[in-house]
């Protein structure tokens, strides 16, 4: 019961973010960057500006809608990069073993030892602030967990009869990896990616706070929140709404990820009432 | 056991070496320089001659490879170099900050353990109950909150509105100063601990040997005390270790927000002014901390779980 | 007026979360100046009320005919915290240390005005020929040109250290001539200084102890100030606005026009900016007063030119560019940019002179057809990007005083782009006036020349003139003796400050 | 005939499903007399394990007993208070499970796990229980019992672990031992040793055994009487020899013919094995068939 | 006897096992298969029996090319399958196929049965839709399923049906040898008979050679022509099924046979005395098998070693 409720809530919140991002041009009453009238700055929420306006006089509601695009981009692209790196390394390491496995495992251990925020911080310092840098930085930081999962999944799948059968039937290694192993470990990878989307959005906010996130005028939630920090007393809505947006979307990704994991893992399902 | 311990400790070295290499490479291509950062606030006009002189004095005009060799040789002598900014040995700078970070990390971890583990345990013993539902919703929420947003809210509520606690800084080191940052920092590990504890306990509860214990005629309480607790502990210790190890790295944001004089804020400040030796030193120390904690966890693990020692 | 002895002051150091070093000579950052201000003294000091440098460690100075040789008569009652009396040796020792080539200290450029210093800095001489000890309390300094040495030798980076102390200890246990002596440094948290009983000024300081508390975050400072945990706080724009509207806070605010000019520098290497009309058009197209009112919350004075209001060469009669989009469009059309163009502004995240400002001008310029994109860089990378001339435009805050001659040096065509002529400005008329001013010995005439030169810069608009910083400090009602320091408001003469009995017990 | 030790009567078990419920056990009845070894055989999912768990009172959540009684020494276990049931468990009725690997706590020494029985049921202290545990290990012929008591389950082979389970189960001299497929996970040669151990020890102590297996051969070598389960019903019950000689129920016949018997090829040449599905055309009908006992001779 | 189809010559497989030294050094070699030689003739069913972990599966995997032998040679129709001149995976595929023990793990859950059967055909050059469809349909019928069922996913089948599909997959490339690794031990008693019958039928129909691994001696007796008894990596006894079951010579073989619980002899449990397990890391030197009757071989050293213990 609770499982389904969580999954539903997660799916609902995620859908909401996706819709907000996709439909932003139609839903947003104002342009997130150009409709900045300083005369109407820091207005509290009202009929025109549902979530109020920020220091530059921009509509917070519109910016949050457009911000969903950025959060989704950050979440999805960084996780795609993570998954591609993690799966490629993990799967080949698990499948081929040997020195390649030792190398990948060593690298994974190194990456795990460097706190991801600090690694992202370093990469951002090299690449400079901005969306592309952020995507790369976050894409390069969290693949180690995916890699570990891909590796261990591959190791256990490798000894499955159907993978060994594919070998005896003459399948090449690559064909086996793509047709036999990859489809069967997509579940946990997808779960990791979904959960990773949440942490990517959180990392974006944290990096923005440290001055290294996506920079304005892009309406990213993290940078909105960081900008709003100094307005907390004068115009709390400027901080509250982006904060809520981050919270709810990350909650959505997390619930969805948990839900997916539980529904993919029948062991968990029977255990949860 | 001694061999096992030694082996685990020796295994740290290559990792540290690779990390050192990695951060050296990253920060050798980072744009901006310490010399230029001196004039970044526009308060004094940039002086190109001074900048050139500074770069020469700091050895930044040497070829990359030479710098790397010097760096590694120094590292091998446990010398982390000299700060560009303060011209003090990096090790001294770190020494002056690491303890505050450890204090914060320990306080946060203590908070997370003292609250998270019992909550997770109770939730697992009564799956589906209100306590369980609330705990799990709280846990996933705790994982979804932007930390500095939470910190800001706490600061406003507990320091400004209620005026219960000081809002920032280390003060004279009293426990009152540490509460807000520690609680903020502790939320994530708390949520994770509550979840893993619950999952771990449920996992153990469904294990065959628990059924065996019941078939011996034990009561629920006896089963939990005699058989479940220790097995669940294995999982909890792992999570505690991973969290504790990475907490100092995660604390960067919180240290900045609460002006906590830890290694995280030292790191961020040093990155901002490109005080590269300090950056490298701080990251190495943070990584070393992670590795040491994890090795310690492995050893604890081996002490709890007799199956480990063999392999 | 009832100065009261005793008490503790909790003063904030608002420019970061740490002190880089306790060795003031080594650091160019404002953050460390708080320590210097309490512990150290320089040959000159800044008189905030007169708005000029005055002698500090000397009771008088004789100036030679040509104005290049100064003979200083040093205070006889000045004693270092280690009980060593101040002598001419200490000053020579300090200046040599500051200029020593292997040290590469930022203060070296101030010492460079002394004859023979350049050779020493370059490593070609053993000492500085222009420094001569006459006797223990008489020092003769020869300068390369007839300048006012006060501006350079008042800097915190030219503080005087005792010559009998191991150099290595300056980093951890500074010893100076100031009113307070070093007590303790809690890294990342605070520096504590306590009253020095043998301070040369009779009856001072009033305070027993000053805690220089590190607090980089605005929000944290705000909360702490409202909780009365700190006695003074530097305010950001939004806090300024908030404090102005609150009873109990609004009466204890100290404001000053600081000598910083915020601007967007245009790179003439970028095609559209070659044309003066384009640069002027941009000055007309942006509603600076509105940005100052709404975004900067009036915590700035609109800029009419380069030199700030507090500069002696400021021309109150010269009007600022008016906000006139039509005129801007006309100018752009004249210059051949009727359809506008697109450019990038290299900007740091700074709230008062960084990306948020670019965000605000973005819709304004859009209205005259010009598209502007912020190119965000980290603070540390900003200086590099600008001094390497790698930008189309940049937004920055630059020191524009207190010495107008030095401030306008940044538009002199012989000044390197990387030195401070960031917008690569070159104007023969300006150069002529500036060179004349350099030679002028009569202060009034010199000021007049500089005023004219400044106006030429304004007409040529190598930059968008945005504002002069208004520094704002809030203080608790029990704090007295703060002064409006135009060079940096946060720097206060701690020996003048006292607190009355309404202060909280913890500080009384 | 003596009073039965265990008297399962019309035991009905189901799981709630939607509004109604799914039947798991359908009126299962059998008796075990003191000292007797009774075998339950049947295909996977036929309800053997749930029957044993119902006797132990260890059924997990969705499963519930909805009818019948389980008499043990004159008392109905189904209505026994929890505390009383706990006292019986381990003390009077003990159980051995299939997987000796997972049925033992990996983090406790086997000695400790055996000692718990004495601590729980005989009020012994830990120190008093320890030597008793060693003795229990000796009784199941574990060499070096003294040292073995201090080792952990993972340090032992499957056969040894199953001996530990037996030692544990028999520690308090129970009246009934339930063994649910105790040898399925073991090698043939080890299986033989374990079976002999169970058989000998129980015979020695007069312990009754409920032995569950899907392997008729195993049942035959241990039990005097056999019950055949199919789809939640006990379809046939008989003395072991009689059951093998004259199986009456189609399913039993199928079961016997489905597997090659050692030596039969040598004796009769290779015979085609019987396909149970071909005998029992309509599996759903079977659940309705009546229970066959040697006394009430009926064919379905 | 005709020329052997498959010859295995002095096969050794050793696994390095991480040591516990300071740096993980002191690796030891686990001798999983230790000098096994045999040959398999066309149409023959040869069984390997033995204790769990004695190296049966490892030997089978080496024959399948899934495990590189440490030493020794495997020849198919005289052609070496190992070493430098080894055939490619594609070439090897038509010679030997395998049926696995666990019907649940032996089919890719994400592929329909049709794809699992059609893909190998396509890979081996049968690209015509109609031809592969015909072959799949015929094969599905041979293993007792309908061609229509091939459109389903594995989870829609019962364990017995999956095992039939596994057999179909092994036969799709028409190999000459099929390795059966415990083909029925994971199946429920009631289904075992069907699969055993099916395997025997298919052997007749296609003239297959089986190499069967099992520890269920009654199944072995029922199906095999010849039997090899393996004990800790070595063959200890080989012979025709009659020889092995009627006159087992090696003590381990005798023990194995005696341990089988036999419904016919209820109430009887027989267990020969324990033989101490040889050390897998330092196995006894291989000695030659001695022929004690035509086609009946026994290893002496192991026998003596066992007798001493
Ligand atoms: N928790 C449960 N919820 C629902 N059904 C269950 C549950 N446990 C068991 N069953 C069902 O009860 C029936 C009997 O299961 P049981 O485990 O007793 O079979 P078994 O005869 O022991 O089989 P096996 O030989 O495989 O151990 C099965 O059909 C099973 O699906
Ligand atoms: N990849 C491997 N790495 C290390 N050791 C292995 C590996 N594969 C098998 N072994 C070891 O080799 C020995 C023989 O294993 P194998 O699987 O061949 O036994 P088996 O006779 O098939 O046993 P079972 O009847 O249990 O299937 C075992 O001790 C096993 O632990
Ligand atoms: Mg069962
Ligand atoms: Mg095997």
């Amino acid at each position: 019961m609770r499982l389904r409720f969580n999954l539903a809530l997660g799916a609902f919140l995620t859908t909401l973010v996706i819709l907000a991002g996709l439909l932003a041009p139609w839903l947003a009453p104002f342009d997130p960057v150009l409709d900045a009238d300083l005369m109407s700055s820091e207005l509290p929420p009202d009929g025109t500006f549902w979530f109020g306006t920020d220091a530059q006089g921009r509509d917070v509601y519109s910016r949050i809608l457009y911000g969903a695009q950025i959060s989704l981009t950050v979440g999805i692209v960084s996780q795609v990069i993570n998954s591609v790196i993690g799966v490629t390394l993990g799967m080949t390491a698990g499948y081929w073993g040997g020195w390649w496995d030792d190398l990948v495992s060593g690298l994974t251990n190194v990456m795990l030892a460097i706190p991801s925020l600090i690694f992202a911080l370093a990469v951002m310092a090299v690449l400079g602030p901005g969306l592309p840098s952020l995507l790369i930085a976050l894409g390069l930081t969290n693949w180690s967990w995916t890699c570990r999962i891909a590796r261990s999944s591959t190791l256990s799948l490798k000894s499955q009869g159907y993978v060994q059968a594919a070998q005896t039937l003459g399948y090449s290694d690559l064909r086996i990896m793509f047709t036999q192993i990859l489809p069967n470990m997509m579940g946990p990878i997808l779960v990791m990616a979904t959960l990773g989307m949440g942490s990517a959005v959180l990392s974006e906010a944290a990096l923005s706070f440290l001055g290294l996130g996506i920079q304005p005028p892009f309406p990213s939630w993290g940078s909105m929140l960081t900008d709003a920090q100094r307005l907390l007393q004068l115009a709390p809505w400027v901080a509250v709404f982006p904060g809520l947006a981050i919270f709810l979307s990350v909650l959505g990704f997390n619930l969805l990820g948990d839900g997916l994991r539980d529904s993919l893992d029948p062991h968990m399902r029977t255990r949860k009432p | 056991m001694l061999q096992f311990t030694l082996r685990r400790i020796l295994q740290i070295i290559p990792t540290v070496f690779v990390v050192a290499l990695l951060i050296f490479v990253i920060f050798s291509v980072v744009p901006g320089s310490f010399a230029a950062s001196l004039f970044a606030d526009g308060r004094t006009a940039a002086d190109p001659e001074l900048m050139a002189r500074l770069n020469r004095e700091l050895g930044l005009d040497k070829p990359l490879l030479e710098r790397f060799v010097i760096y590694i040789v120094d590292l091998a002598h446990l010398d982390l170099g000299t700060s560009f900014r303060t011209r003090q040995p990096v090790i001294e700078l770190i020494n002056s900050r690491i303890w505050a970070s450890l204090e914060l990390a320990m306080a946060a971890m203590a908070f997370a353990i003292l609250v998270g583990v019992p909550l997770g345990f109770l939730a697992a013993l009564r799956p589906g109950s209100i306590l369980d539902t609330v705990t799990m919703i709280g846990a996933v929420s705790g994982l979804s909150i932007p930390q500095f947003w939470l910190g800001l809210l706490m600061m406003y509520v507990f320091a400004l509105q209620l005026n219960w606690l000081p809002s920032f800084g280390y003060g004279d080191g009293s426990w009152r100063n540490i509460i807000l940052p520690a609680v903020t920092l502790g939320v994530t590990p708390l949520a994770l601990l509550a979840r893993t504890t619950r999952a771990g306990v449920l996992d153990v509860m469904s294990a065959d040997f628990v059924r065996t214990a019941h078939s011996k005629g034990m009561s629920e309480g006896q089963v939990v005390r005699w058989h479940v607790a220790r097995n669940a502990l294995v999982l909890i210790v792992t999570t505690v270790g991973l969290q504790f190890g990475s907490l100092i790295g995660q604390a960067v944001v919180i240290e900045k927000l609460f002006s906590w004089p830890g290694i995280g804020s030292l790191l961020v400040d040093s990155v901002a002014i490109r005080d590269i030796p300090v950056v490298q030193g701080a990251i190495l120390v943070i990584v070393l901390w992670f590795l040491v904690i994890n090795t310690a966890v492995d050893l604890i693990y081996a002490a709890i779980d007799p199956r480990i020692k063999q392999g | 007026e009832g100065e009261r002895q005793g008490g503790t002051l909790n003063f904030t150091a608002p420019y970061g979360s740490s002190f880089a070093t306790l060795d003031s000579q080594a650091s160019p950052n404002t953050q460390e100046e708080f320590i210097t201000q309490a512990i150290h003294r320089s040959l000159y000091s800044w008189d905030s009320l007169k708005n000029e440098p005055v002698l500090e460690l000397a009771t008088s100075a004789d100036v030679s005919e040509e104005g290049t040789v100064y003979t200083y008569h040093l205070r006889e009652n000045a004693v270092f915290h280690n009980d060593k009396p101040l002598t001419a040796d200490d000053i020579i020792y300090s200046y040599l240390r500051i200029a020593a080539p292997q040290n590469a200290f930022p203060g070296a450029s101030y010492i460079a005005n002394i004859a023979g210093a350049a050779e020493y800095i370059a490593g070609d001489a053993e000492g500085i020929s222009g420094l001569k000890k006459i006797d223990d309390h008489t020092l003769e300094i020869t300068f390369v040109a007839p300048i006012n040495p006060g501006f350079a030798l008042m800097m915190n980076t030219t503080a005087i250290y005792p010559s009998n102390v191991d150099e290595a200890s300056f980093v951890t246990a500074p010893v100076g001539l100031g009113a307070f002596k070093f007590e303790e440094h809690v890294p990342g948290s605070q520096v504590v200084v306590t009253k020095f009983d043998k301070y040369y000024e009779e009856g001072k300081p009033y305070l027993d102890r000053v805690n220089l508390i590190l607090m980089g975050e605005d929000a944290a400072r705000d909360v702490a100030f409202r909780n009365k945990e700190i006695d003074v706080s530097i305010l950001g724009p939004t806090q300024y606005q908030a404090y102005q509207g609150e009873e109990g806070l609004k009466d204890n605010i100290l404001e000053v026009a600081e000598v910083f000019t915020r601007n967007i520098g245009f790179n003439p290497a970028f095609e559209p900016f070659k044309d003066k009309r384009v640069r002027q058009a941009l000055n007309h197209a942006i509603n600076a007063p509105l940005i100052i009112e709404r975004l900067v919350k009036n915590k700035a004075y609109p800029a009419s030119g380069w030199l700030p209001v507090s500069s002696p060469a400021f021309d109150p009669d010269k009007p600022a560019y008016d906000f006139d989009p039509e005129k801007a469009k006309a100018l752009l059309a004249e210059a051949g940019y009727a359809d506008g163009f697109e450019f990038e502004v290299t900007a740091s995240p700074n709230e008062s002179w960084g990306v948020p400002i670019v965000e605000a001008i973005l819709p304004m310029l859009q209205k005259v057809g010009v598209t502007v994109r912020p190119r965000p860089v980290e603070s540390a990378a900003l200086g590099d990007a600008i001094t390497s001339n790698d930008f189309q435009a940049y937004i920055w805050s630059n020191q524009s005083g207190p010495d107008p001659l030095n401030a306008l040096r940044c538009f002199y065509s012989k000044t390197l782009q990387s030195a401070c002529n960031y917008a690569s400005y070159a104007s023969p008329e300006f150069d002529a006036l500036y060179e004349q001013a350099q030679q002028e010995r009569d202060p009034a005439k010199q000021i007049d020349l500089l005023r004219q030169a400044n106006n030429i810069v304004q007409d040529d608009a190598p930059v968008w003139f945005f504002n002069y910083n208004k520094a704002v400090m809030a203080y608790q009602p029990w704090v007295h003796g703060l002064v409006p320091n135009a060079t940096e408001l946060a720097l206060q003469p701690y020996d003048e400050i006292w607190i009355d009995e309404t202060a909280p017990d913890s500080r009384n | 005939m003596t009073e039965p030790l265990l008297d399962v009567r019309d035991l009905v078990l189901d799981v709630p499903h939607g509004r109604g419920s799914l039947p798991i056990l359908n009126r299962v009845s059998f008796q075990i007399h003191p000292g007797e070894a009774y075998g339950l055989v049947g295909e996977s999912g036929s309800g053997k394990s749930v029957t044993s768990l119902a006797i132990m009172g260890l059924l997990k959540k969705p499963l519930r007993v909805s009818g019948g009684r389980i008499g043990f020494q004159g008392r109905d276990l189904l209505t026994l208070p929890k505390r009383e049931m706990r006292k019986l468990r381990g003390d009077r009725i003990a159980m051995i499970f299939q997987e000796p690997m997972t049925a033992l706590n990996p983090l406790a020494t086997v000695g400790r796990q055996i000692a718990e029985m004495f601590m729980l049921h005989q009020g012994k202290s830990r120190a008093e229980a320890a030597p008793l545990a060693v003795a229990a290990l000796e009784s199941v012929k574990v060499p070096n019992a003294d040292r073995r008591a201090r080792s952990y389950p993972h340090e032992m082979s499957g056969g040894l672990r199953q001996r530990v389970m037996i030692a544990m189960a028999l520690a308090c001299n129970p009246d009934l031992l339930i063994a649910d497929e105790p040898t399925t996970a073991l090698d043939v040669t080890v299986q033989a040793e374990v079976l002999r151990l169970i058989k000998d020890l129980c015979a020695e102590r007069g312990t009754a055994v409920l032995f569950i297996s899907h392997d008729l051969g195993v049942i035959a070598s241990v039990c005097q009487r056999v019950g055949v389960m199919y789809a939640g019903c006990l379809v046939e019950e008989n003395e072991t020899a009689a059951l093998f000689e004259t199986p009456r129920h189609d399913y039993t016949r199928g079961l016997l013919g489905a597997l090659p018997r050692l030596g039969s090829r040598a004796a009769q040449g290779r015979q085609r094995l019987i396909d149970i599905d071909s005998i029992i055309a309509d599996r759903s009908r079977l659940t309705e068939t009546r229970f066959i006992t040697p006394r009430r001779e009926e064919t379905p | 006897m005709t020329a052997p189809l498959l010859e295995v010559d002095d096969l050794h497989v050793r696994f390095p096992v991480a040591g516990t030294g300071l740096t993980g050094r002191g690796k030891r070699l686990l001798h999983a298969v230790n000098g096994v030689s045999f040959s398999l003739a066309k149409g023959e069913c040869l069984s390997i029996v033995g204790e769990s972990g004695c190296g049966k599966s490892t030997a089978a995997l080496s024959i399948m090319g899934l495990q590189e032998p440490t030493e020794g040679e495997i020849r198919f129709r005289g052609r070496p399958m190992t070493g430098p001149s080894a055939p490619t995976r594609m070439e090897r595929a038509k010679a030997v196929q395998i049926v696995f023990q666990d019907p649940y793990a032996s089919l890719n859950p994400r592929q329909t049965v049709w794809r699992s059967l059609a893909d190998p055909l396509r890979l081996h050059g049968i690209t015509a839709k109609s031809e592969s469809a015909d072959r799949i349909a015929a094969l599905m019928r041979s293993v007792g399923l309908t061609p229509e069922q091939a459109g389903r996913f594995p989870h829609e089948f019962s364990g017995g049906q999956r095992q039939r599909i596994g057999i179909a997959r092994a036969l799709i490339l028409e190999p000459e040898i099929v390795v059966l690794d415990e083909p029925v031990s994971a199946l429920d008693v009631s289904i075992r008979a069907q699969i055993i019958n099916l395997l025997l039928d298919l052997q007749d129909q296609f003239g297959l050679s089986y190499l069967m691994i099992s520890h269920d001696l009654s199944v072995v007796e029922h199906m095999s022509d010849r039997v090899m008894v393996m004990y800790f990596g070595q063959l200890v006894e080989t012979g025709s099924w009659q020889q092995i079951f009627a006159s087992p010579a090696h003590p381990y073989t005798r023990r194995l046979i005696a341990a089988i619980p036999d419904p016919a002899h209820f109430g009887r449990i027989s267990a020969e005395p324990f033989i101490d397990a040889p050390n897998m890391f330092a196995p006894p030197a291989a000695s030659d098998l001695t022929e004690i009757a035509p086609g009946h071989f026994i290893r002496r050293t192991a026998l003596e070693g066992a007798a001493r213990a």
Side-chain angles (χ1 to χ4, degrees), chain A residues 5-225:
Chain A
F5 173 75
N6 283 0
L7 192 61
L9 183 61
F12 171 74
L13 289 174
T14 310
T15 315
L16 212 62
V17 179
I18 293 174
L19 284 183
L22 289 181
L23 302 180
W26 293 276
L27 291 178
F30 297 97
D31 186 281
V33 174
L34 292 178
D35 282 334
D37 182 359
L38 282 173
M39 288 313 291
S40 54
S41 66
E42 291 161 28
L43 293 177
D46 63 15
T48 322
F49 305 110
W50 293 359
F51 293 175
T53 60
D54 67 2
Q56 275 87 357
R58 295 169 300 199
D59 179 32
V60 173
Y61 172 64
S62 303
R63 285 176 69 73
I64 287 198
L65 288 179
Y66 277 95
Q69 292 181 339
I70 295 196
S71 289
L72 279 175
T73 312
V74 167
I76 293 171
V77 177
S78 68
Q79 290 320 302
V80 167
I81 300 178
N82 266 329
S83 305
V84 168
I85 298 178
V87 167
T88 310
L89 292 182
M91 189 164 67
T92 50
Y95 190 81
W96 282 321
W99 64 269
W100 174 243
D101 187 21
D102 293 342
L103 187 76
V104 170
S105 301
L107 198 62
T108 312
N109 286 339
V110 168
M111 289 303 293
L112 284 175
I114 307 179
S116 57
L117 188 63
I118 287 176
F119 189 77
L121 188 84
V123 176
M124 289 299 283
V126 170
L127 300 176
L131 183 59
S133 328
L134 188 81
L135 295 179
I136 297 174
L138 293 180
L140 289 179
T141 31
N142 281 321
W143 55 264
S144 35
W145 287 109
T146 313
C147 181
R148 280 201 162 180
I149 289 181
R151 181 175 172 274
S152 61
S153 302
T154 307
L155 279 179
S156 71
L157 288 175
K158 202 168 82 165
S159 60
Q160 295 279 296
Y162 60 89
V163 176
Q164 297 198 331
Q167 284 176 317
T168 63
L169 286 167
Y171 284 43
S172 67
D173 283 355
L174 282 182
R175 182 184 288 268
I176 288 174
M177 281 189 239
F178 279 101
T179 64
Q180 311 293 315
I181 294 181
L182 189 59
N184 285 299
M185 66 182 191
M186 276 323 277
I189 300 295
L190 201 69
V191 170
M192 278 302 289
T194 314
L195 295 175
M197 279 168 64
S199 56
V201 172
L202 286 180
S203 300
E204 189 267 324
L207 287 170
S208 283
F209 175 79
L210 298 176
L212 281 163
I214 299 169
Q215 298 280 331
F218 286 119
S220 99
W221 293 340
S223 64
M224 287 169 75
L225 190 51

Side-chain angles (χ1 to χ4, degrees), chain B residues 41-166:
Chain B
D41 62 359
R43 290 190 175 264
T44 18
D47 179 346
E49 282 173 38
L50 176 69
M51 281 159 69
R53 222 162 43 234
L54 207 52
N55 282 337
R56 195 167 56 244
E57 286 310 319
L58 300 176
L60 290 175
D61 56 345
K62 295 199 182 92
L64 198 62
L65 198 64
E66 189 180 334
R67 268 154 58 199
F68 180 66
V69 171
I70 295 174
Y71 169 63
I72 289 297
V73 168
D74 284 353
L75 204 60
H77 294 92
L78 298 180
D79 176 2
L80 292 177
T82 309
S83 160
F84 291 170
R85 185 167 69 154
T86 71
R87 308 195 185 187
Q88 267 173 292
V90 170
I91 206 101
E92 274 177 33
L93 277 178
I94 288 173
N95 182 42
S96 69
R97 298 294 202 95
I98 189 79
W99 305 108
S101 276
L102 291 184
E103 225 173 281
L104 180 62
M106 282 185 211
M109 212 58 225
F111 167 68
I113 293 173
L114 291 180
V115 181
V117 173
L119 271 183
F121 228 103
L122 291 177
L125 292 183
R126 299 274 169 274
S129 67
I130 302 221
L131 175 80
D132 178 32
T133 312
V134 169
T135 303
M136 286 306 110
I137 289 177
V140 70
S141 303
L143 291 178
S144 309
I145 277 194
Q147 267 192 346
F148 71 93
W149 193 58
L150 179 70
L152 272 177
L153 295 181
M154 302 242 289
M155 212 149 117
Y156 269 80
V157 173
F158 293 105
L160 190 62
Q161 302 298 331
L162 301 174
N163 211 345
W164 286 352
L165 294 165

Side-chain angles (χ1 to χ4, degrees), chain C residues 119-142:
Chain C
E119 291 81 355
Y120 176 69
I121 293 171
D124 298 335
E126 281 297 299
I128 299 176
S129 58
L131 288 175
K132 199 146 94 201
K133 173 182 176 181
I134 308 296
D135 63 43
D136 266 3
H137 289 101
T138 316
L139 173 71
E140 185 191 285
I141 304 182
T142 311

Side-chain angles (χ1 to χ4, degrees), chain B residues 205-209 211-212 214-220 222 226-227 230-231 234 304-307 310, chain D residues 56 58 86 89-90 97 99 102-107 112-113 116-117 119-121 152 154 165 168:
Chain B
M205 298 274 272
S206 68
D208 283 355
F209 65 81
R211 192 180 56 183
T212 307
H214 279 294
S215 79
K216 289 176 175 177
M218 282 188 196
S219 67
E220 189 79 17
Q222 283 167 322
W226 292 12
H227 291 282
R230 198 173 152 101
N231 278 279
V234 173
I304 302 179
D305 190 338
R307 286 168 297 186
Q310 303 254 314
Chain D
M56 290 298 284
L58 289 177
R86 270 213 308 274
R89 236 186 260 146
F97 297 98
E99 267 294 336
T102 56
L104 288 168
N105 183 348
L107 302 190
R112 162 76 206 258
Q113 295 187 60
E116 274 172 7
M117 297 296 281
M119 292 155 72
L120 281 166
H121 298 291
Y152 291 91
H154 74 275
M165 282 300 290
M168 204 156 80

